[in-house]
Amino acid sequence: MAVMAAAHTGAGTDGAGAALPKTSQGQGTTVVIVGARNLRRADWLPGSSSDPYCVCRFAGKAGAGFRTGVARRTQNPMWNARGLPPGYAPGDDLEFELFDKDRFKRDDLLGRATLTSDMLERGCFDGQLPLRDAGHKIEAMLRVRVEVPAPPTPPPPPEASALATHCRNPAPSQPMEIRRYGEFMHGWFERSCFGFVLGFRGLRA
């Protein structure tokens, strides 16, 4: 699985990777891996601690994820790493895995966390997630912020658009004076015609 390095602003880190591909910028789910606390000490040499980094991906998907840089010699890293993991669909869970970076052996697991889809029902999440597999009697936490874009609103059907336009631009109504004048002329014409008919009948008689 390809894993991209995320853009970040955290201090005391390296491996800050290139910017995200242009195809994923400005769209998709935005994930900010803020930091972690109370990680176990993975290196046991004198004066050593852990060199943690975090990987984020969607659960059960083979697409690319992204990772933070490596925070050197700390059990309370701050990354503030922002990424846009591609391929989000409603109902997806986000998985986070933390590792200790080692030079001469395989990286050690420091913990796992899952942000479930029901935690994203409101379209965002900003909080701490407990880490599983963090070590014996260790209560480590991961802080993340996630924003899920709202689905696009479909355009209204043509009939609705025409009706909305008609409602916004109704036909102009005639002023009261014009209506009254028209009613007066209509009544005068009817009376004149009736009088003419009566007069004509009188002449014939």
Side-chain angles (χ1 to χ4, degrees):
M1 175 182 291
V3 178
M4 299 179 294
H8 72 104
T9 58
T13 64
D14 61 11
L20 295 171
K22 292 183 179 180
T23 54
S24 66
Q25 291 183 357
Q27 57 184 317
T29 300
T30 302
V31 179
V32 180
I33 303 176
V34 179
R37 63 181 178 87
N38 200 32
L39 300 179
R40 70 181 179 88
R41 178 182 172 184
D43 298 328
W44 294 99
L45 296 176
S48 63
S49 181
S50 290
D51 301 314
Y53 67 91
C54 182
V55 177
C56 171
R57 60 174 62 91
F58 289 114
K61 291 195 173 183
F66 80 94
R67 52 159 285 182
T68 69
V70 177
R72 295 294 180 183
R73 296 183 180 180
T74 179
Q75 293 172 255
N76 301 286
M78 292 294 295
W79 295 293
N80 288 313
R82 179 183 298 271
L84 299 169
Y88 171 79
D92 284 347
D93 296 340
L94 275 171
E95 288 186 342
F96 301 88
E97 291 183 310
L98 282 73
F99 297 92
D100 170 58
K101 184 65 177 178
D102 287 313
R103 183 176 300 180
F104 302 109
K105 64 182 182 69
R106 184 176 180 178
D107 295 350
D108 298 318
L109 178 67
L110 297 176
R112 295 186 175 94
T114 301
L115 183 62
T116 59
S117 59
D118 60 326
M119 300 171 75
L120 292 172
E121 286 183 350
R122 297 183 179 179
C124 62
F125 176 85
D126 187 350
Q128 298 187 96
L129 300 172
L131 291 177
R132 310 182 305 274
D133 306 321
H136 183 61
K137 293 185 178 180
I138 293 180
E139 297 180 357
M141 306 294 290
L142 175 69
R143 170 75 183 278
V144 298
R145 292 198 303 270
V146 181
E147 293 183 1
V148 178
T153 303
E159 296 80 4
S161 299
L163 179 60
T165 302
H166 177 73
C167 293
R168 289 194 299 268
N169 302 285
S173 59
Q174 293 180 337
M176 182 63 70
E177 292 78 6
I178 296 178
R179 292 201 301 271
R180 288 178 177 176
Y181 178 76
E183 293 171 357
F184 168 77
M185 292 301 295
H186 180 74
W188 176 84
F189 181 76
E190 286 184 345
R191 289 192 299 271
S192 299
C193 290
F194 182 72
F196 175 78
V197 171
L198 291 179
F200 180 74
R201 288 181 177 178
L203 290 175
R204 292 184 62 182

